[in-house]
């Protein structure tokens, strides 16, 4: 393993760790804010937000990368990999890469259309801009650096999509549960649709996640050649 990639892993892990810690423990939102109780106390607190869940995923992944750099392996064939490397590759290729791109793309796209749908201006009073970029820009930057910097072994066939599909439906169930029992949607954007529009919007959100799984593998193949669970094949010249 290269010293450079190890240093990048350590750096990104530190940034994520600081971001997660500040978001969880050091923010000072107004106690009399209109959504304070819902955001911080009810229905899992901040864990109802995909951004926060993704931050924990990304932080945990880069921590795993550091652990693998120290104690694992960098084999190109699955049966020669350490347990740490197998889990690192599975996690990155099936969840971390597509989720990282999805969070950044959806957030900044909605922000550009109407920020009140995703990140109301009132949050600027207590949510620092640098933390906003850590949680909404770093996910895409981090996973793109990783796919160019480190060779991973990819799952093949339908197995590639099962984790992200499962994660998608688990989160969809979670926010629908909150909407039903709490009477409020986690994100204001869902409030602008009627039931039909909301259903179409929910269904449409699955396709970018599936596409990003394929995109990650396409980028990886372009950079590293074809790496599967059995063998590594060189790209055709």
């Amino acid at each position: 393993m290269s010293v450079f990639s190890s240093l990048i892993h350590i750096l990104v892990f530190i940034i994520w760790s600081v971001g997660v810690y500040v978001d969880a423990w050091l923010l000072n939102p107004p106690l009399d804010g209109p959504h304070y109780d819902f955001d911080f106390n009810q229905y899992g607190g901040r864990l109802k937000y995909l951004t926060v869940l993704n931050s924990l995923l990304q932080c945990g992944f880069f921590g795993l990368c550091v652990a693998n750099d120290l104690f694992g392996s960098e084999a190109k064939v699955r049966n020669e990999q350490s347990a740490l490397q197998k889990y690192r590759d599975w996690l990155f290729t099936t969840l971390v890469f597509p989720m990282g791109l999805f969070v950044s793309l959806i957030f900044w796209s909605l922000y550009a259309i109407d920020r009140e749908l995703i990140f109301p201006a009132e949050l600027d009073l207590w949510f620092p801009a640098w933390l906003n970029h850590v949680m909404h820009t770093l996910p895409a930057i981090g996973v793109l650096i990783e796919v160019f910097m480190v060779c991973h072994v990819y799952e093949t066939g339908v197995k590639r999509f099962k984790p992200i599909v499962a994660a998608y439906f688990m989160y969809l169930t979670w926010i629908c549960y909150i909407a039903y029992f709490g009477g409020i949607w986690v994100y204001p954007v869902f409030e602008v649709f009627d039931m039909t529009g909301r259903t179409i919007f929910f269904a449409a959100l699955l396709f970018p996640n599936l596409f990003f799984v394929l995109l990650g593998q396409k980028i990886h193949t372009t950079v590293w050649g074809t790496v599967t669970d059995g063998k590594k094949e060189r790209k055709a010249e």
Side-chain angles (χ1 to χ4, degrees):
M1 64 192 70
S2 74
V3 174
F4 176 76
S5 63
S6 296
L7 291 175
I8 294 297
H9 285 152
I10 292 172
L11 175 62
V12 177
F13 175 60
I14 290 173
I15 295 173
W16 271 120
S17 297
V18 171
V20 168
Y21 177 74
V22 170
D23 181 63
W25 301 104
L26 299 184
L27 288 183
N28 294 303
L31 299 180
D32 59 349
H35 304 294
Y36 177 84
D37 192 54
F38 177 76
D39 289 347
F40 290 89
N41 296 322
Q42 298 181 27
Y43 301 102
R46 303 274 289 163
L47 293 178
K48 64 174 67 69
Y49 295 103
L50 183 61
T51 291
V52 175
L53 295 173
N54 178 65
S55 297
L56 295 174
L57 173 67
Q58 300 292 328
C59 184
F61 168 73
F62 282 99
L64 178 64
C65 288
V66 173
N68 183 72
D69 291 341
L70 293 173
F71 309 111
S73 63
E74 286 296 337
K76 303 297 190 298
V77 180
R78 188 176 295 279
N79 60 16
E80 297 176 0
Q81 293 180 324
S82 65
L84 278 173
Q85 188 190 352
K86 288 179 181 178
Y87 185 56
R88 182 204 68 179
D89 286 2
W90 175 85
L91 191 62
F92 178 74
T93 59
T94 62
L95 284 174
V96 172
F97 183 89
M99 190 70 73
L101 285 188
F102 179 81
V103 166
S104 292
L105 178 65
I106 293 298
F107 177 85
W108 289 114
S109 295
L110 290 174
Y111 191 97
I113 295 170
D114 181 358
R115 66 168 298 176
E116 297 300 316
L117 297 175
I118 193 73
F119 195 81
E122 65 187 38
L123 297 180
D124 292 343
L125 298 175
W126 57 271
F127 199 96
W130 69 265
L131 183 58
N132 187 19
H133 283 292
V134 167
M135 302 188 76
H136 297 115
T137 306
L138 182 59
I141 294 175
V143 299
L144 287 172
I145 290 175
E146 177 70 12
V147 77
F148 280 99
M149 184 177 65
V150 178
C151 182
H152 299 89
V153 175
Y154 273 74
E155 298 284 351
T156 58
V158 178
K159 291 185 296 183
R160 294 172 292 178
F161 305 108
K162 288 182 178 180
I164 196 67
V165 171
Y168 169 83
F169 281 105
M170 288 173 64
Y171 185 67
L172 182 58
T173 301
W174 175 222
I175 62 175
C176 288
Y177 169 87
I178 293 171
Y180 182 79
F181 288 100
I184 186 172
W185 287 100
V186 171
Y187 295 104
V189 64
F190 297 131
E191 297 177 0
V192 305
F193 295 111
D194 59 15
M195 181 59 71
T196 301
R198 196 176 293 130
T199 301
I200 295 173
F201 188 72
F202 282 149
L205 289 178
L206 176 61
F207 293 101
N209 286 286
L210 300 178
F211 171 73
F212 290 146
V213 173
L214 295 175
L215 178 63
Q217 189 165 14
K218 177 63 176 179
I219 295 173
H220 187 275
T221 301
T222 301
V223 176
W224 298 98
T226 303
V227 182
T228 67
D229 58 1
K231 60 184 178 179
K232 179 176 184 292
E233 302 172 354
R234 293 185 61 83
K235 292 181 295 182
E237 299 295 337

